[in-house]
Amino acid sequence: MAKQEKKMSFEEALAGLERSAEVLKKDGTTLEEAMQCFDKGVEYYKYCNEILSDAKQKIEFYDKKEA
Amino acid sequence: MAIKPVKVSQLNGYIKRILQSDPLLGNVSVIGEVSNLKHHSTGHVYFTMKDENSKINCFLASEYLRDLRYELADGIEIIASGYIYLYERGGTYSLNVRDIAVEGLGNLTAAFEKLKQKLSGEGLFDEKYKKPIPYFPNKIAVITSETGAAVRDIIKIIKSRNNIVDILVYPCLVQGPGAAADIAKSIQDVNRLFPETDTIIVGRGGGSMEELWAFNEEIVARSIFASKIPVISAVGHETDFTISDFVADKRAETPTAAAQMAAPDISALKAYIEGEKDSLVHVMERLIKYMELRVASHNIEALSVSLNHRLLYSAMNAEALFKDMGGALDGRLKDWANRLEMAKSGLDALNPKNIMNRGYAAILNGEGKMTGTSGGFQTGDNLTAVMKDGSIQCRVFDVRRNQDGKTREKDEL
């Protein structure tokens, strides 16, 4: 599970978060379903937040002569 | 001056030597309008150039056609450079074209439209080939002049929105004769050397149609179409449309717009996921409160009180039912007893012993049958009188019958 999450893209995680919020809002969800959904949603949120907080930007000018 | 007659081929051979040794005719540039344009199946192109008074046959070999920067079309004015060539067998000469230039807005527009039509016909602009621009890229390659305004704008905008995505500036020429080939090669290079790139932005800042022309060349269009990495075309200002714009996966009106398209705004995304998380928490809290309420309304005390009520009610119900049943049964029994009594008194009334108690006797004839009439008896017959405590044997002395059938008991014995 943890390995799979590493591979998950931001878009997938964001979609997961949105889906969780949507399902949770639905009527007729059992408490157990809701709890599962909530936990998943929070996991997705943390994953998204981790990505968004990783300011790893590199700006590079490719040198054609070097190549 | 007259010399002896020569053969046709000798004459043409001579003219050819004169024409082809002339330094001016060996490298000449000619202005004229294209007509009778014919693409031969061999790949060579034949056409005529003309002005108001004259015309000349032209030949463009396929190897030069490949490098041409403009799409030829009937009616446009071109500047063709090449050399004069004499075709000896036909005795005709032509301009063998090495390169073509097109000048002026009208002519450039005509060449542009011709190429647009051609590529559109081939399906290069079809929506089905458009790749989506990745929403959250890790790497954006910018193919443009490293000294231009465009690259500065793009880097500035991306940095202001996003501090995660890597930017690779892949420098290339963006105007002049070699620009199109350089742009095309750069797109191929980025695909080959940096396949992990999510999005390519190719473009340049504003300029005249001539300055932007590289982005209207077929070679650039084909390399954009062939790119595995999605391409955003960002050439000039919003009013400038280039062939690159049509074939790219996405057209940006300006390099700045391309940067906004390519890189999502991280702080907006952060705010968005915060909102989603808050909504998760909020909904969950509400759900838990609701569950708590439901639990509270179902606590044990409440449950036992309600259970007691139900037991009591059931017991009362059972009792009432029992009473009803008893009453019904009593009634039935009484009814049966009455009917029994009535049947008994009916039977009592008919019991012959009761009559005998009152002093009556039953008369049986000789065969022991009770006839109840004097009709069957004759004088001298034997009969039996049965009484309550025994019977007596009698003989008939006399038979007297009533006129009205009534018997006088006294007389009978």
Side-chain angles (χ1 to χ4, degrees), chain B residues 46 163 216 345 378:
Chain B
Y46 300 86
N163 56 1
N216 286 325
S345 57
Q378 306 288 328

Side-chain angles (χ1 to χ4, degrees), chain A:
Chain A
M1 183 72 193
K3 266 184 189 171
Q4 274 182 337
E5 273 179 31
K6 281 286 168 217
K7 282 180 200 162
M8 184 166 53
S9 74
F10 177 81
E11 281 152 288
E12 283 164 345
L14 184 62
L17 176 59
E18 284 170 331
R19 206 167 45 239
S20 300
E22 208 53 48
V23 171
L24 204 55
K25 278 178 204 161
K26 258 191 222 158
D27 286 339
T29 343
T30 66
L31 187 60
E32 202 182 6
E33 283 169 348
M35 293 291 280
Q36 272 180 6
C37 208
F38 178 76
D39 286 348
K40 261 195 199 165
V42 169
E43 253 178 63
Y44 284 130
Y45 161 75
K46 281 182 185 158
Y47 186 77
C48 286
N49 203 35
E50 209 175 285
I51 294 178
L52 292 182
S53 306
D54 183 16
K56 59 176 179 56
Q57 186 166 70
K58 277 190 312 214
I59 300 176
E60 178 190 0
F61 280 70
Y62 183 71
D63 192 345
K64 282 182 174 173
K65 282 166 224 144
E66 224 173 68

Side-chain angles (χ1 to χ4, degrees), chain A residues 57 59 61, chain B residues 140-145 148-162 165-170 174 199-205 232-236 252 254-263:
Chain A
Q57 186 166 70
I59 300 176
F61 280 70
Chain B
I140 298 170
V142 183
I143 298 175
T144 187
S145 158
V151 72
R152 279 202 312 275
D153 287 349
I154 289 172
I155 291 174
K156 192 180 85 189
I157 296 295
I158 293 179
K159 274 171 78 177
S160 75
R161 295 163 62 83
N162 189 314
V165 66
D166 291 338
I167 306 171
L168 170 73
V169 178
Y170 200 93
V174 292
T199 309
I200 292 175
I201 298 175
V202 60
R204 56 156 291 154
I232 299 175
S233 164
V235 184
T254 58
T256 306
Q260 284 166 348
M261 251 176 224

Side-chain angles (χ1 to χ4, degrees), chain B residues 162-375:
Chain B
N162 189 314
N163 56 1
I164 295 168
V165 66
D166 291 338
I167 306 171
L168 170 73
V169 178
Y170 200 93
C172 73
L173 297 171
V174 292
Q175 71 186 64
D182 199 23
I183 295 165
K185 185 170 182 302
S186 298
I187 293 170
Q188 286 164 13
D189 285 351
V190 169
N191 270 275
R192 186 166 47 87
L193 301 173
F194 305 98
E196 76 280 10
T197 303
D198 295 295
T199 309
I200 292 175
I201 298 175
V202 60
R204 56 156 291 154
S208 67
M209 194 168 191
E210 283 87 350
E211 284 168 336
L212 303 185
W213 191 257
F215 295 91
N216 286 325
E217 293 189 40
E218 188 170 345
I219 185 173
V220 171
R222 298 222 181 260
S223 75
I224 290 175
F225 185 73
S227 175
K228 296 260 189 297
I229 302 166
V231 177
I232 299 175
S233 164
V235 184
H237 302 296
E238 54 227 76
T239 49
D240 299 319
F241 277 89
T242 62
I243 297 293
S244 296
D245 292 337
F246 292 110
V247 72
D249 297 297
K250 194 96 187 167
R251 173 197 184 237
E253 293 179 334
T254 58
T256 306
Q260 284 166 348
M261 251 176 224
D265 188 330
I266 295 298
S267 54
L269 274 178
K270 274 186 178 164
Y272 179 70
I273 66 161
E274 281 306 317
E276 285 294 285
K277 185 205 66 181
D278 287 350
S279 135
L280 270 181
V281 171
H282 180 70
V283 174
M284 199 64 212
E285 277 174 358
R286 216 175 52 199
L287 194 68
I288 288 172
K289 272 203 187 110
Y290 170 67
M291 291 292 180
E292 274 174 1
L293 267 172
R294 276 180 61 182
V295 169
S297 75
H298 287 105
N299 65 25
I300 296 297
E301 263 172 58
L303 204 72
S304 78
V305 167
S306 118
L307 207 63
N308 276 339
H309 272 135
R310 277 168 69 174
L311 279 173
L312 209 62
Y313 176 73
S314 297
M316 277 162 63
N317 215 6
E319 207 171 321
L321 215 64
F322 183 70
K323 268 185 188 161
D324 280 0
M325 231 165 75
L329 210 60
D330 273 359
R332 276 292 241 324
L333 282 172
K334 258 180 203 157
D335 193 29
W336 285 333
N338 278 338
R339 281 168 62 186
L340 198 63
E341 195 56 40
M342 270 166 71
K344 195 175 161 239
S345 57
L347 277 175
D348 279 349
L350 291 172
N351 191 341
K353 288 247 170 93
N354 283 350
I355 302 170
M356 287 171 186
N357 277 340
R358 295 208 306 268
Y360 293 95
I363 302 299
L364 308 178
N365 65 13
E367 293 161 351
K369 281 185 180 157
M370 200 163 80
T371 61
T373 172
S374 59

